[in-house]
Amino acid sequence: MYGIDLDKSLEYEVASMREFAPHEKHVKRKCESDVLVMVLSGVLRFNEDGVDYEIMPGEYYIQHFEAIHGDSLESDCPRYLYIHFRGTWNDSRTCLPKRGTFIIEEIIGCMTELNRLVYGGGCKTEILSCFYNIMTYLLNGRNHTESQAERILKLLTSDIKDPPSLEELSAMCHFSRNHIINLVKKEFGMTPYEYLKRERIRLASSLLSATDISLEETAESCGFGDYTSFFRAFKSVRGISPSEWRGKCRQRSDI
């Protein structure tokens, strides 16, 4: 499953416990880092890249670097820990999926200790130790087996250039096409192929910012049949064209 690769280095930035007031909404922003959110009580709602999400107690979610968050949804007084960090996104056996569950009683001590160290002047080593313990717990100590929706998306994105069709997914998972769509939409807030499109755009965004390959090669590498379809999909997700995205990334790197 696509997520944060814990076999790669992580760069911790900041962490804090947070509690929303009644009717408070998630901040409107463009993420400048990856953000791990772990909900302890209440319900956190936000819109990420045009998709609505609802994170319940005992659930975590990793907001993606450069994702766009809207402020249209009211939350239900959530109390949660957030950690800003920078990691590497890919698909490997050491990846922490971007969404999952945890047992509050098992990890609340470490979460509380991290918050105490941050505000009590703990040394960097102590803070990093808590951060790594939380990430390791979520990877190895999660209390859930892979959900049906996660399994479907893992199959779908196993080959991002040539993914299985809905009919092939149906045969592999022994579910009807509609049941597959409903499972994924309920857990991830989008259809399987909306998810695939966004993962392709995330990969394309990384290639455009980190390499000099042509726009046409980028489109092909990410599974788009032609540049026109790539252009339309990219602009629908990012709000700008692929060439504009590359230009902005280069401007930031020159600062």
Side-chain angles (χ1 to χ4, degrees):
M1 175 62 66
Y2 185 71
I4 294 290
D5 192 345
L6 297 191
D7 200 34
K8 307 291 185 181
S9 61
L10 300 174
E11 183 180 342
Y12 167 85
E13 294 179 355
V14 67
S16 180
M17 286 288 191
R18 175 83 157 83
E19 187 168 358
F20 276 21
H23 310 297
E24 187 173 350
K25 298 178 180 180
H26 191 280
V27 65
K28 185 177 182 179
R29 68 178 178 189
K30 178 179 179 180
C31 275
E32 299 299 330
S33 58
D34 300 307
V35 185
L36 170 65
V37 176
M38 300 174 68
V39 176
L40 297 172
S41 61
V43 181
L44 177 65
R45 298 186 181 92
F46 56 87
N47 180 286
E48 182 176 89
D49 287 338
V51 179
D52 292 341
Y53 290 94
E54 187 174 77
I55 314 302
M56 308 292 287
E59 291 184 340
Y60 77 83
Y61 185 88
I62 306 174
Q63 298 173 334
H64 200 292
F65 168 64
E66 292 188 330
I68 304 298
H69 289 145
D71 59 355
S72 60
L73 302 173
E74 286 188 1
S75 294
D76 291 339
C77 300
R79 179 171 177 262
Y80 61 93
L81 174 72
Y82 69 80
I83 304 175
H84 288 243
F85 69 99
R86 292 297 299 273
T88 300
W89 290 81
N90 60 35
D91 188 355
S92 74
R93 65 177 182 82
T94 55
C95 275
L96 175 64
K98 72 177 300 178
R99 185 170 188 174
T101 61
F102 62 95
I103 299 176
I104 295 174
E105 293 77 11
E106 289 183 354
I107 195 66
I108 183 63
C110 193
M111 295 168 68
T112 303
E113 178 66 3
L114 175 58
N115 189 68
R116 185 191 69 79
L117 290 169
V118 168
Y119 286 98
C123 72
K124 186 175 181 179
T125 299
E126 291 176 309
I127 291 172
L128 288 178
S129 177
C130 274
F131 169 56
Y132 292 136
N133 285 341
I134 288 171
M135 299 298 279
T136 302
Y137 169 80
L138 293 178
L139 178 68
N140 297 320
R142 303 192 307 275
N143 69 312
H144 79 291
T145 56
E146 187 176 60
S147 72
Q148 292 173 336
E150 287 174 332
R151 178 170 174 260
I152 289 166
L153 292 180
K154 188 173 183 178
L155 291 169
L156 180 64
T157 57
S158 60
D159 184 351
I160 207 162
K161 287 183 65 176
D162 186 24
S165 67
L166 196 54
E167 290 76 12
E168 289 170 328
L169 280 177
S170 180
M172 286 187 280
C173 299
H174 306 289
F175 294 139
S176 71
R177 292 169 34 138
N178 285 340
H179 188 58
I180 286 174
I181 292 171
N182 290 336
L183 278 174
V184 174
K185 199 165 186 178
K186 181 178 179 181
E187 185 165 337
F188 289 88
M190 64 186 85
T191 68
Y193 284 92
E194 286 171 340
Y195 182 91
L196 176 64
K197 181 180 80 170
R198 291 178 182 278
E199 294 308 303
R200 283 174 163 170
I201 296 304
R202 291 197 195 282
L203 174 59
S205 299
S206 297
L207 290 174
L208 290 170
S209 65
T211 74
D212 292 321
I213 66 174
S214 69
L215 300 179
E216 290 74 16
E217 288 177 298
T218 301
E220 182 182 357
S221 297
C222 297
F224 292 95
D226 55 71
Y227 178 73
T228 300
S229 61
F230 170 55
F231 177 91
R232 290 173 178 168
F234 195 97
K235 195 163 186 179
S236 71
V237 173
R238 293 298 186 196
I240 57 177
S241 70
S243 59
E244 289 172 326
W245 175 270
R246 171 169 274 171
K248 288 193 173 187
C249 290
R250 288 179 176 174
Q251 286 176 0
R252 287 198 296 270
S253 66
D254 291 338
I255 297 175

